[in-house]
Amino acid sequence: MGVTVNVNQLSEKSDDTKYLNRLFSAYMDTTDNGVALIDFNGKFLLTNESFIRLFGYTKAELSETNLSEFQPHLNKKLNIYITLLEQGEKIQDLTLELSNKNKQVLYTTI
């Protein structure tokens, strides 16, 4: 499950922003769900330890790769979804078939 919040109206130094940052950090550090934040160019911005364990890559390996290299079989599908997101569309109930470093298939739901 993914949740996003538009915090553009908050100052980076506001108490609300500090609270949201602490809350997000606590979630990333404690969840058993593998979480990766990826920008529209496919660059890995942040991954949690659960994601690292599930997929078998190090953070260094992921920082040097792009999503299109990480899961090349999804390039066409991911380009469609990125275009929809850039247009402000919501993507719900998306299940993707991903492979870890050992080629084991993992299913993820967004």
Side-chain angles (χ1 to χ4, degrees), residues 68 70-78 96-99:
S68 62
F70 177 67
Q71 300 293 315
H73 65 284
L74 294 177
N75 284 341
K76 185 176 180 180
K77 185 182 278 191
L78 291 174
L96 295 175
E97 187 176 298
L98 305 175
S99 300

Side-chain angles (χ1 to χ4, degrees), residues 65-84:
T65 191
N66 190 291
L67 185 59
S68 62
E69 299 164 338
F70 177 67
Q71 300 293 315
H73 65 284
L74 294 177
N75 284 341
K76 185 176 180 180
K77 185 182 278 191
L78 291 174
N79 286 334
I80 292 168
Y81 292 125
I82 287 171
T83 299
L84 291 172

Side-chain angles (χ1 to χ4, degrees), residues 33-44:
N33 296 313
V35 179
L37 298 180
I38 301 163
D39 70 12
F40 285 125
N41 296 315
K43 180 181 179 194
F44 284 88

Side-chain angles (χ1 to χ4, degrees), residues 32-74:
D32 288 335
N33 296 313
V35 179
L37 298 180
I38 301 163
D39 70 12
F40 285 125
N41 296 315
K43 180 181 179 194
F44 284 88
L45 302 174
L46 180 66
T47 56
N48 69 355
E49 290 303 317
S50 294
F51 187 90
I52 298 299
R53 275 193 310 276
L54 282 169
F55 287 94
Y57 294 90
T58 66
K59 286 187 180 191
E61 287 174 316
L62 291 172
S63 70
E64 295 172 0
T65 191
N66 190 291
L67 185 59
S68 62
E69 299 164 338
F70 177 67
Q71 300 293 315
H73 65 284
L74 294 177

Side-chain angles (χ1 to χ4, degrees), residues 11-25:
S11 164
E12 287 186 30
K13 296 181 180 182
S14 75
D15 289 339
D16 289 339
T17 302
K18 290 176 187 175
Y19 170 74
L20 288 173
N21 284 335
R22 285 192 310 273
L23 186 65
F24 179 73
S25 292

